[in-house]
Amino acid sequence: MNFIEKILYLLQTKMTEPMAFGWFHIMWICFTILLIVFLKNKKGEKNLKRVLGIYGITALILEILKQVTWSFNYDGNVVTWDYQWYAFPFQLCTTPIIISITCLFLKDGKLRDMLLSYMSYITILGGISTIFMPDSCLVSDILINIHTMWLHCGSFVVSIYLLMSGKVKIDIKHLLYAILIFTIFAFIADIMNILVYNSGILNGETFNMFYISPYFESSLPVFDKIQLATPYSIYLVIYVALLSLGGFIIYLVSKLISLIAKRMQL
């Protein structure tokens, strides 16, 4: 192996596959809570940029390392490279990387407001699901587990921070901003699904961005059954509607917590 191959092989270091609510999972839950408490009073533009920058750049580096290690394989003296199309980084849970880094370069305004609203009300759903149901995300690769928990727990922290700091308002207008951006991302994902599948480059591999491809069954619980039971166009409508409903529930919970907090200050 040359030096680069040795580094890549090192990145594939194994661990015992973590269990849900085992020590590794609980450690990240505690880390998430501590970060939220630490950021509680960190308001202002500079703090926003720090939070977005630390999360986004770290998540991007880990994502790049994941893409490399999942495509690189070392078996004895044979080194092979096969890009894993199913892991292409354009899913609901990876869009916070795009949002965070993009918003580092945007001034306070409507576009940034809309993007951050999407992160507060929609992508938080992926963070919540992984925090409470991490089984399908945890593997035996140390790097991948760190990447998974940073990506999801970190985006959850950023989402909560945006609401706590007032950078994203808890109102219907910002919820609608979030749903609009989500719908745009889902549309882009579906166009990618169709173009990549018909390009002939997959060689039998899966490419299912946002898990809404017309060619592959969703691996998401509940959504897989809905996709099998309904015409594709209806499935798309239900998919967008259910996640939008999830965003609405986040809005209601946030509103309730905000009202309780205000009453406690009186």
Side-chain angles (χ1 to χ4, degrees):
M1 285 190 295
N2 59 37
F3 177 73
I4 294 178
E5 289 169 354
K6 288 180 179 178
I7 294 297
L8 292 173
Y9 187 61
L10 181 64
L11 290 173
Q12 292 182 327
T13 303
K14 303 293 182 179
M15 67 183 293
T16 301
E17 185 173 318
M19 301 287 290
F21 297 98
W23 71 268
F24 185 81
H25 183 206
I26 291 175
M27 178 185 71
W28 278 93
I29 291 176
C30 293
F31 179 63
T32 300
I33 294 170
L34 289 173
L35 276 179
I36 291 172
V37 172
F38 174 75
L39 293 172
K40 182 180 178 182
N41 297 311
K42 303 290 183 181
K43 300 181 180 181
E45 187 70 13
K46 287 185 178 179
N47 283 312
L48 173 67
K49 296 286 188 179
R50 289 192 188 103
V51 170
L52 294 176
I54 291 171
Y55 169 73
I57 293 171
T58 303
L60 177 62
I61 292 170
L62 290 171
E63 182 64 41
I64 292 170
L65 291 175
K66 184 195 86 170
Q67 295 293 323
V68 171
T69 56
W70 272 9
S71 300
F72 160 82
N73 184 57
Y74 176 73
D75 183 15
N77 293 318
V78 180
V79 177
T80 58
W81 175 269
D82 178 25
Y83 185 71
Q84 304 300 299
W85 285 102
Y86 73 91
F88 189 84
F90 193 79
Q91 298 286 11
L92 183 73
C93 294
T94 52
T95 51
I97 302 176
I98 301 170
I99 299 297
S100 296
I101 293 177
T102 299
C103 288
L104 283 177
F105 303 97
L106 294 178
K107 293 182 179 179
D108 190 10
K110 188 171 183 179
L111 177 58
R112 193 180 80 173
D113 211 17
M114 295 174 74
L115 292 173
L116 293 180
S117 295
Y118 163 74
M119 196 166 175
S120 294
Y121 291 112
I122 302 295
T123 66
I124 191 176
L125 300 171
I128 292 171
S129 64
T130 300
I131 289 171
F132 289 101
M133 297 179 293
D135 305 70
S136 62
C137 301
L138 297 173
V139 294
S140 58
D141 297 280
I142 294 176
L143 172 67
I144 303 305
N145 288 331
I146 293 173
H147 162 272
T148 295
M149 299 313 287
W150 177 263
L151 182 70
H152 296 92
C153 293
S155 68
F156 175 78
V157 170
V158 176
S159 298
I160 296 296
Y161 168 75
L162 291 170
L163 294 168
M164 285 194 311
S165 65
K167 286 298 180 181
V168 171
K169 303 297 182 185
I170 304 174
D171 58 28
I172 292 296
K173 182 177 79 171
H174 286 78
L175 172 62
L176 292 176
Y177 283 167
I179 293 172
L180 174 61
I181 296 298
F182 164 59
T183 304
I184 292 171
F185 270 124
F187 176 77
I188 293 171
D190 211 26
I191 294 297
M192 290 173 63
N193 287 330
I194 294 169
L195 291 178
V196 172
Y197 181 83
N198 289 286
S199 69
I201 64 176
L202 292 179
N203 295 319
E205 294 186 37
T206 300
F207 187 86
N208 196 359
M209 301 303 98
F210 275 51
Y211 301 103
I212 55 173
S213 172
Y215 310 109
F216 300 102
E217 182 182 328
S218 173
S219 59
L220 298 176
V222 179
F223 289 98
D224 55 349
K225 293 178 175 59
I226 295 173
Q227 185 176 11
L228 289 174
T230 60
Y232 179 67
S233 57
I234 301 300
Y235 169 67
L236 281 182
V237 172
I238 294 173
Y239 174 87
V240 173
L242 285 180
L243 285 178
S244 298
L245 176 61
F248 180 65
I249 292 171
I250 295 298
Y251 159 75
L252 291 178
V253 172
S254 301
K255 195 73 172 177
L256 177 61
I257 293 173
S258 176
L259 290 172
I260 293 172
K262 287 179 180 178
R263 284 186 175 274
M264 291 178 64
Q265 291 175 356
L266 293 177

